[in-house]
Amino acid sequence: ELNDRGFTTYTAAVGPLSSNWDRACELYAEIKGGTVDYGEAHAKRYGHARFGRTYKGFVKDWGAEDEDGNINKIHLIGHSQGGQTVRLLSALLGEGSEEERAASGEKVSPLFEGGHSWIDSVTTLASPHDGTTLADVKGTNKFAAILLSAAGSTLGNFQNSAEIYDIKLDQFGLKRKSGESLKSFLDRVFKSSMWTNSKDNCAYDLGTDGAVVQNQWVTAQPDTYYFSWGCLGTKKALLSLDGHQVADPLIMGDKKLYNAQWAAQAAFMGSYHRKDYSREIPVIDEKWWPNDGYVNTISESGPHYGSTDVIEDYNGTPEIGQWNFMGTKHIDHEDIIGRNWDGALDFFVETATMLSQLPK
């Protein structure tokens, strides 16, 4: 629809279980074209291959200058963890990585060079900038394994299921074997050392500790616009004296077989609290209880903990180099990408129109 309306638009697909670093490296190669380079230092630290898949590229002249010296830039829109990922990509392009430059020398990827002002704007939708308390639960990986294995059992019956359900963990040597069922493959994925002995995975980055670590070095770039949207799908529980939050059935009651799962997640986040001063965010209290079924709403406006980024409510005039918080929509985590929200198309058209009109 966006392409039909004149907005040149591409949809990327990065590793759904990978860390934001690995995902950003993949996204860079998908857009620019070429072979994924995870970085020499990063690959050695986490025990996986330095290079990944090779892509043709969506925008091969991304970052090139025209005859008038104007740089060909793009806008990035990321949902959920995708918001963390595009933030990281923006920071790497702007600042690079001193560690990767030292490790690779002249063979360093342009992604780690720094000094690349190639992004006009970053827009995040329901993204866990300070993490989600849902990922702080012990056993999150096992729960995810159960869900993915169940999905794998179903999808394994379909032709071309490998293309439909691509885990993209080639760098860890986790490729589906010839004739291997999808369930068997997913079981093997979740027994990998990438979960037990590493922080190079989505579970760590989505948790509050991992998110703050990223916030400490992934900063808003001075020549890029940043926009954020929050989502809220819970309300105060009628019988709770403490003001705990539960799923609003008018918002989250459309998940069919997954209604019970969403309700459980919303209720858990809607009552979870802690005081642990060894954690990156030591106090989790009632401010964290409103949520969209997957992410705490307070975490979605931008990076607060560990970050020096400025976050301000959008007043109609976009400010560059800081977060423009666009507000909170009373919809759930998946509504905003059109799963069960009739307003999604208008929302994306309005967003694309606003981004195309940003001052240069």
Side-chain angles (χ1 to χ4, degrees):
E1 288 287 347
L2 290 176
N3 279 306
D4 289 344
R5 296 173 189 236
F7 302 103
T8 303
T9 308
Y10 300 93
T11 304
V14 293
L17 305 179
S18 299
S19 66
N20 286 313
W21 178 284
D22 286 5
R23 287 158 57 96
C25 296
E26 293 165 4
L27 181 57
Y28 172 79
E30 282 193 68
I31 299 171
K32 182 70 173 173
T35 300
V36 178
D37 185 343
Y38 297 106
E40 179 71 15
H42 177 88
K44 285 183 177 179
R45 177 179 299 112
Y46 294 108
H48 66 63
R50 173 179 174 178
F51 298 103
R53 301 184 186 183
T54 299
Y55 295 92
K56 294 181 179 179
F58 296 140
V59 188
K60 295 181 180 179
D61 61 347
W62 181 31
E65 292 188 13
D66 62 20
E67 57 185 13
D68 296 321
N70 297 312
I71 299 174
N72 186 22
K73 298 187 179 186
I74 61 172
H75 302 275
L76 295 172
I77 301 177
H79 169 250
S80 196
Q81 189 186 356
Q84 290 180 308
T85 300
V86 293
R87 276 179 54 209
L88 196 152
L89 176 58
S90 171
L92 277 180
L93 285 170
E95 301 175 18
S97 168
E98 183 176 350
E99 184 179 28
E100 294 300 341
R101 291 193 294 267
S104 302
E106 295 181 356
K107 296 182 179 180
V108 67
S109 165
L111 176 59
F112 307 126
E113 290 175 346
H116 297 313
S117 177
W118 294 359
I119 297 175
D120 266 326
S121 72
V122 167
T123 300
T124 66
L125 312 176
S127 293
H129 295 289
D130 290 325
T132 168
T133 54
L134 186 63
D136 283 349
V137 188
K138 290 183 178 179
T140 296
N141 295 346
K142 293 182 180 179
F143 177 63
I146 294 170
L147 294 178
L148 286 171
S149 294
S153 297
T154 302
L155 286 170
N157 296 322
F158 291 93
Q159 188 176 9
N160 300 323
S161 61
E163 286 74 19
I164 298 171
Y165 212 68
D166 190 349
I167 301 299
K168 294 180 181 288
L169 289 174
D170 303 17
Q171 69 272 32
F172 285 98
L174 292 168
K175 295 183 180 181
R176 190 174 173 187
K177 300 175 183 177
S178 177
E180 182 180 20
S181 72
L182 194 53
K183 183 180 185 303
S184 173
F185 171 57
L186 290 174
D187 287 341
R188 201 156 50 82
V189 166
F190 278 94
K191 291 177 182 178
S192 166
S193 62
M194 70 169 285
W195 301 103
T196 56
N197 302 322
S198 174
K199 296 179 178 178
D200 194 30
N201 57 62
C202 68
Y204 177 73
D205 284 351
L206 289 169
T208 55
D209 288 346
V212 175
V213 170
Q214 176 171 314
N215 291 348
Q216 291 169 349
W217 70 273
V218 175
T219 58
Q221 299 302 294
D223 51 5
T224 303
Y225 291 94
Y226 293 83
F227 301 94
S228 58
W229 285 95
C231 292
L232 175 62
T234 59
K235 63 179 184 179
K236 288 185 178 180
L238 291 176
L239 301 180
S240 173
L241 298 178
D242 296 321
H244 293 163
Q245 296 266 324
V246 294
D248 185 334
L250 296 178
I251 298 176
M252 291 193 193
D254 53 7
K255 298 296 176 288
K256 299 181 181 178
L257 292 175
Y258 295 98
N259 277 334
Q261 175 193 329
W262 279 66
Q265 292 173 180
F268 169 79
M269 288 187 288
S271 60
Y272 177 82
H273 60 278
R274 71 168 182 247
K275 284 188 178 180
D276 182 349
Y277 291 92
S278 67
R279 303 291 293 267
E280 295 290 348
I281 303 177
V283 178
I284 299 290
D285 54 21
E286 65 273 9
K287 296 190 297 293
W288 283 77
W289 292 347
N291 66 83
D292 64 11
Y294 270 92
V295 177
N296 314 81
T297 303
I298 194 174
S299 183
E300 297 176 337
S301 61
H304 301 83
Y305 293 90
S307 176
T308 58
D309 287 3
V310 175
I311 306 170
E312 294 184 355
D313 292 342
Y314 181 64
N315 62 6
T317 302
E319 298 292 340
I320 200 167
Q322 67 174 51
W323 288 91
N324 299 271
F325 178 50
M326 307 299 287
T328 299
K329 290 188 173 295
H330 289 264
I331 55 179
D332 67 43
H333 192 70
E334 291 191 351
D335 287 342
I336 200 166
I337 52 172
R339 294 274 169 84
N340 294 286
W341 181 38
D342 293 338
L345 178 57
D346 289 340
F347 169 74
F348 275 91
V349 170
E350 291 168 4
T351 298
T353 300
M354 179 195 71
L355 298 179
S356 68
Q357 296 174 352
L358 286 173
K360 299 296 181 184

